Amino acid sequence: MSVLHETAGYLPGLRADEVAWQTLSFEGQGGAVEVAVPVLSEAQIVLLTQRVRSASQSYLKSLTVAQIVDTIDRAIHRLLDPQDPWRRKADSILPRVTGYDAEMVRLGLTGYLKTFRKPQLQRFLAEDFGNPQLLDGFVPRPRGGFSKAFGPDVAVHVWAGNVPGLCLWSLISGLLVKSGSIGKVASAEPLLAGWMAQLLVEIDPKLADCLAVVWWKGGDTAQETVFFKHADLVLAYGGTAALAEVRRQVPVTTRFLPFGHKLSFGLVAASALDARKAPRAAQQAAYDVVRYDQQGCYSPHVFYVARGGKISPDEFSRYLAHELSALQKKYPRRSLSLSEAADLAAWRGAEEIRSLSPGGPQVAGEGDWTVVYNHELQPLAPGALNRTVRVVAVDQIADVMPLLAPHRAFLQTVGVAATPRELFELAEQLGRAGVTRICALGQMTSPEAGWHHDGRCSLLDLVQMVDIDSSAEAAAETLAPYVD
Amino acid sequence: MASSPLIADLLAFLADTHPSDQAFDQQALALFAHQFQHNLPFQRFCQQRGKTLRTVRSWRDIPAVPISAFKALTLSCIPADQAERTFMTSGTTQAEIKGKHHHPSLAVYDASMLRNFRQRFMAGSSERIRMGILFPDETLLPNSSLAHYLALAVREFGTGASHYVLTQQGLDTARVIAELEHAEQTGEPYALLGASYSFVHLLDALQRLGKTFRLPAGSRVLDTGGFKGQSRELSMQDFYAQLSSALGISASDCINMYGMTELSTQFYDDGNAILPSVKSGPHWIRSRVVEPLSGEELPRGQQGILAHCDLANFNSVTTILTEDVGVAVDGGFLLLGRAQGSAAKGCSLAVEEFLQAAAA
């Protein structure tokens, strides 16, 4: 199998031969790729940030939000076209880089891209701003005065993780608020953001200097400090330790938006557990587990399943095992690194050991997936990822609520199978506990357009509102040349 | 105790200088049968893996028990409360469940340690050496296998002037410096033994005081256990370079011992001038490098997880699956450290981070 060579990043104003490059090697599904990632000098970083700042001020801020939406929509449609060269590149190379099954990447990417078409982007904007014209000009406020939303000139995004496409939303949201963006790609998936930037520039060449995609080795504080010093806003994705490290480098006066690792789980009420509905619920639950091998913030680690239905929690866990086994054939798990395999083996080994004690769990699984069934209440805790899931029997779903309190900061998505009445009752309790998204089983890994990521208004968080007080308006009236 | 003939056999095997492969297998299978019969959690473990007395034909067939089992199960052929000594793993938090290793008699552990230590650290010599111990003594840590190991080292191989330089208050810097000066002045070889992180504390203290030493020939160091977050982390390269320049002894006289509470035998290297150094054990322990999920043995040169079959583990289980990454090479294996967590991949919370948050 031949090794492909790719170049990551997008560096307006810098020639390839001026920049130092480092090679990252990947060996995923379908073959190997060597990716050259740029290593910038301090002077180059300063140059790049100045260039983006100036283009952001002179060009991006002059566009209307509708024009920006159109450009993004055109880019997304290009990527949704299976024949488009950029899309073909993504389909062939991302599985090699991330190791995920090619079909899973293809389906996942398409589903994800669909949430960034024009109507969906408009929904995002309406969700956060009500009237998106707030981004274009001063809009009257109902109680007097005017307001306008100003995006930052330069936002630096620190991306993490290898769920393909994670960086796209970050980049797009920056554009929507007319912010120049410098994105730092993750070593685990350094390519997609750079392609997106190039594609956007292909569609609107004047965007050329408004975006940059860079790389530095995570934790390289020397590089981080320079980038952050020249940013108005820093968005960072990663684990607690990594975020704390990034936060230390961000100047106090620069806004910092951290997106930490999350813990998600599922709830299956007795109402979803009869002979017809339970297999379907298990199938959907399995799909949530399989998608991106549980690497997403929205990926479930545990399913709490109520007793009292026609199908017992124990039987549900067997259905789930069966579905995972079936999905393994359709979407094989990516091959694991030694340390991932060791982690998983240690986790499963410990569960198998527990299963030897009276009252211990049942462990089912082949090499590629594991279902642990506990018939006693278990605290909420992450599994070993990579298709390892715990099913816990509960007398009623409400029993889960007290388990959530210690993990408030980490809670995100809960996949729910329950009646409408139960759904809204649960939603109230889950919301109080810190959960920010409740969705159907099978949809955990596909948040809808306009969702409040980690409970936040993602676009609103990026902007600064500028108010014209009614007093200013009144005072100005007195100074008008036509004042009587 | 029903197993004294078994212990006698085992001690004889340890004393044998050139046992055959067949003899190793024989011992391993005898111990397997004994443990299968008397260690019921182990029996259930074997049955879960489809391993019985009939299907286990060589030491390689004995299922390797994950070390976490020492926490969850009582792996012992005798009732745990009848053990002469129980060693426990060191937990970092109060609440953490500790792994327990029950020893009905320390005769085998001690024989294994002494025979191996004489060979590997004392270079076969029967001359004693003045020792400084960078670890709490056995009265302070009665459940620490390392405390017992070091106590044995002092008792059997240390001169009367050997001593502990770690007190409840921490490193006794004045005492260490006095000892190092004594060695320098008299030319009497000196050995420092203890936890790797305590050596880092010593290095830090010496650096603060701006002191370096040139220990006389024959002096040496034994460190073990890594840094475990108890000191600053440094690369093996830097660790031995700094030890070597602070104490004036060659990195080839710095021996690293690799041992664990769950074993009764230790591994050593022949110095750390070349890194990573090759670790090896005596004839009564054998190691395999395995693929962690399938447990299949990996070819030489390929990285995997270490599994050890330690015949001195007569009462618990002979064969354990560690969480350490290694690679088989000529003359032993390279120890490449603890398997790193998979936290960094996506944005899903991983166990490691979760535990840190829970402990905070």
Side-chain angles (χ1 to χ4, degrees), chain A residues 161-162 166 239-240 260-263 294-297 299 301 333-334 336 338-346 348-350 352-357 367 380-385 407 410, chain B residues 41-42 44-46 48-49 65-66 68-70 72-73 290-294 298 303-305 321 323 325-326 339-351 353-354 356-358:
Chain A
N162 62 350
L166 212 64
T240 312
H261 289 171
K262 294 293 169 187
L263 181 56
Q294 284 170 305
Q295 302 288 330
C297 47
S299 300
H301 293 251
R333 186 186 62 196
R334 77 202 160 85
L336 302 183
L338 176 60
S339 51
E340 286 174 311
D343 257 18
L344 207 165
R348 188 158 73 191
E352 280 172 350
I353 296 300
R354 276 188 206 111
S355 76
L356 299 175
S357 300
L380 180 63
L385 309 180
H407 311 304
F410 291 119
Chain B
F42 176 61
R44 288 201 296 275
F45 176 81
C46 292
Q48 190 187 52
R49 306 265 159 140
V65 178
S68 61
F70 285 80
L73 303 174
V290 301
E291 202 284 320
L293 286 168
S294 67
L298 292 166
Q303 286 187 23
I305 298 296
L321 181 66
E323 292 168 4
V325 177
Q340 294 294 312
S342 46
K345 286 287 181 190
C347 50
S348 194
L349 192 68
V351 179
E353 191 181 351
F354 177 80
Q356 276 166 13

Side-chain angles (χ1 to χ4, degrees), chain A residues 275-289:
Chain A
R276 195 171 51 86
K277 297 182 192 120
R280 177 87 186 118
Q283 190 179 34
Q284 289 164 328
Y287 184 70
D288 287 335
V289 171

Side-chain angles (χ1 to χ4, degrees), chain B residues 34-351:
Chain B
H34 173 71
Q35 292 167 357
F36 190 89
Q37 191 185 348
H38 298 288
N39 180 347
L40 296 184
F42 176 61
Q43 188 184 78
R44 288 201 296 275
F45 176 81
C46 292
Q47 285 163 343
Q48 190 187 52
R49 306 265 159 140
K51 302 279 187 177
T52 62
L53 296 178
R54 224 165 338 131
T55 58
V56 171
R57 294 291 179 77
S58 101
W59 69 275
R60 288 173 195 272
D61 299 333
I62 302 173
V65 178
I67 52 169
S68 61
F70 285 80
K71 293 183 180 174
L73 303 174
T74 303
L75 291 173
S76 177
C77 294
I78 59 154
D81 55 9
Q82 288 174 21
E84 177 187 338
R85 189 76 82 86
T86 296
F87 292 136
M88 297 189 197
T89 55
S90 54
T92 43
T93 58
Q94 281 289 316
E96 200 170 312
I97 300 168
K98 294 180 173 179
K100 294 196 176 84
H101 196 179
H102 308 286
H103 296 269
S105 142
L106 282 173
V108 177
Y109 182 97
D110 290 359
S112 165
M113 182 278 172
L114 294 173
R115 192 168 287 277
N116 196 16
F117 188 88
R118 179 190 308 276
Q119 181 90 34
R120 303 300 295 271
F121 190 68
M122 303 304 292
S125 152
S126 49
E127 205 162 311
R128 288 173 176 263
I129 187 166
R130 186 171 174 130
M131 291 180 178
I133 305 298
L134 287 165
F135 200 73
D137 69 25
E138 246 185 321
T139 55
L140 284 174
L141 295 178
N143 294 118
S144 160
S145 57
L146 181 58
H148 177 67
Y149 167 97
L150 292 167
L152 275 180
V154 171
R155 194 184 79 199
E156 298 291 325
F157 303 103
T159 66
S162 300
H163 45 271
Y164 284 77
V165 289
L166 209 65
T167 65
Q168 266 169 309
Q169 282 71 45
L171 179 66
D172 185 349
T173 312
R175 179 73 198 265
V176 188
I177 289 174
E179 283 298 324
L180 293 169
E181 279 169 350
H182 173 267
E184 236 179 18
Q185 283 155 12
T186 60
E188 181 189 347
Y190 185 60
L192 270 172
L193 302 87
S196 310
Y197 53 81
S198 297
F199 279 97
V200 179
H201 297 153
L202 173 63
L203 286 171
D204 291 346
L206 293 182
Q207 197 183 8
R208 263 197 308 279
L209 299 168
K211 284 201 178 285
T212 58
F213 296 88
R214 298 216 60 79
L215 291 179
S219 297
R220 48 199 182 265
V221 155
L222 181 140
D223 81 285
T224 186
F227 309 124
K228 294 182 176 164
Q230 304 236 24
S231 69
R232 67 195 164 87
E233 299 274 326
L234 60 177
S235 69
M236 288 295 111
Q237 207 90 41
D238 291 344
F239 178 67
Y240 291 110
Q242 287 176 28
L243 265 183
S244 172
S245 65
L247 302 177
I249 60 174
S250 150
S252 57
D253 292 323
C254 296
I255 311 285
N256 175 265
M257 183 272 276
Y258 164 54
M260 39 209 312
T261 305
E262 297 85 350
L263 291 176
S264 307
T265 300
Q266 298 78 33
F267 299 92
Y268 299 92
D269 52 44
D270 295 327
N272 283 276
I274 299 160
L275 289 167
S277 55
V278 178
K279 298 278 188 292
S280 57
H283 67 257
W284 58 88
I285 190 166
R286 292 195 177 186
S287 303
R288 290 180 298 146
V289 174
V290 301
E291 202 284 320
L293 286 168
S294 67
E296 309 249 328
E297 188 163 352
L298 292 166
R300 181 166 288 225
Q302 205 168 323
Q303 286 187 23
I305 298 296
L306 289 166
H308 306 297
C309 175
D310 180 8
L311 301 186
N313 263 11
F314 70 94
N315 181 59
S316 53
V317 292
T318 54
T319 310
I320 64 164
L321 181 66
T322 70
E323 292 168 4
D324 298 318
V325 177
V327 57
V329 294
D330 284 338
F333 57 88
L334 306 180
L335 182 64
L336 304 173
R338 183 57 76 92
Q340 294 294 312
S342 46
K345 286 287 181 190
C347 50
S348 194
L349 192 68
V351 179

